[in-house]
Amino acid sequence: MNLHWIGAILIIAGCGGVGFSMALNYKREENTLRQLIRVMDLFCCELEYRISPLPELFRKASNAASGHLSKLFERVVQELENQVAPDAAYCMASALRHSRELPGKIVFALTDLGRSLGEYDLQGQLQGIKAVQSTCMRQLEDLENNRTQRIRSYQTLGLCAGAALAILFL
């Protein structure tokens, strides 16, 4: 087999891998938004019926979530427990600085969540959580619209870009 053909196959595989990676990131973002929406439900229930302190609230959120979101909530718990007078907004911002794996939309939602927790009375916190939750629901709805076509487009674009590059180099 000629080295040109091996190179062409590697280029197609590399570009195809990028397309499939983009599709996987799209699915991860959807999954993370779903988890965050469930966590917001947990926050509302815990605050409304148990009035849980923030470290306990985030510890339960860490157990309810998985992946990067769970690690983020664990870091928020550490930040809250290490502070003399914990500020939820500062602790969330600090934890988010260490979590670069989360998509930008989710980072903005979590920043808003940090600003509303611990700042207001119970009703104000619940309203803040519900506002973040509705924002996440709208974002999830946007992602779910034409989901299969978008994912297929990412994959096809990667493979076609690889084929075009391979043809140019041959």
Side-chain angles (χ1 to χ4, degrees):
M1 188 181 237
N2 192 346
L3 284 177
H4 293 295
W5 288 105
I6 293 173
I9 291 170
L10 290 175
I11 288 172
I12 293 170
C15 290
V18 169
F20 281 85
S21 173
M22 289 172 63
L24 184 62
N25 286 337
Y26 190 87
K27 291 176 185 178
R28 280 188 188 142
E29 187 173 358
E30 277 186 341
N31 184 36
T32 305
L33 276 170
R34 280 189 194 96
Q35 285 184 50
L36 190 54
I37 290 167
R38 282 194 313 269
V39 166
M40 296 299 119
D41 282 335
L42 173 73
F43 280 2
C44 285
C45 290
E46 286 292 323
L47 284 175
E48 198 166 0
Y49 300 112
R50 289 189 179 171
I51 310 174
S52 299
L54 289 179
E56 182 182 333
L57 193 65
F58 279 102
R59 192 170 287 113
K60 287 182 180 184
S62 174
N63 292 334
S66 63
H68 299 302
L69 202 56
S70 176
K71 291 176 187 174
L72 172 84
F73 291 142
E74 286 174 16
R75 188 173 295 276
V76 173
V77 169
Q78 291 171 354
E79 291 286 337
L80 287 167
E81 290 176 344
N82 291 336
Q83 305 239 335
V84 176
D87 175 18
Y90 174 80
C91 293
M92 180 64 79
S94 177
L96 284 169
R97 277 193 296 276
H98 297 291
S99 298
R100 298 182 183 174
E101 303 86 11
L102 294 172
K105 294 175 185 178
I106 294 170
V107 169
F108 287 128
L110 288 167
T111 302
D112 287 344
L113 174 68
R115 287 187 196 129
S116 65
L117 288 175
E119 284 294 314
Y120 306 107
D121 65 345
L122 179 62
Q123 290 306 316
Q125 290 182 61
L126 290 173
Q127 285 177 341
I129 291 168
K130 289 178 183 176
V132 170
Q133 186 178 32
S134 68
T135 299
C136 290
M137 290 173 122
R138 280 192 306 275
Q139 290 173 352
L140 180 61
E141 192 175 298
D142 288 344
L143 287 175
E144 287 176 338
N145 287 340
N146 301 320
R147 177 182 189 266
T148 54
Q149 286 116 353
R150 287 183 190 184
I151 290 173
R152 192 174 305 127
S153 295
Y154 288 141
Q155 295 168 342
T156 303
L157 182 62
L159 290 171
C160 289
L165 281 173
I167 290 169
L168 284 174
F169 290 137
L170 287 178

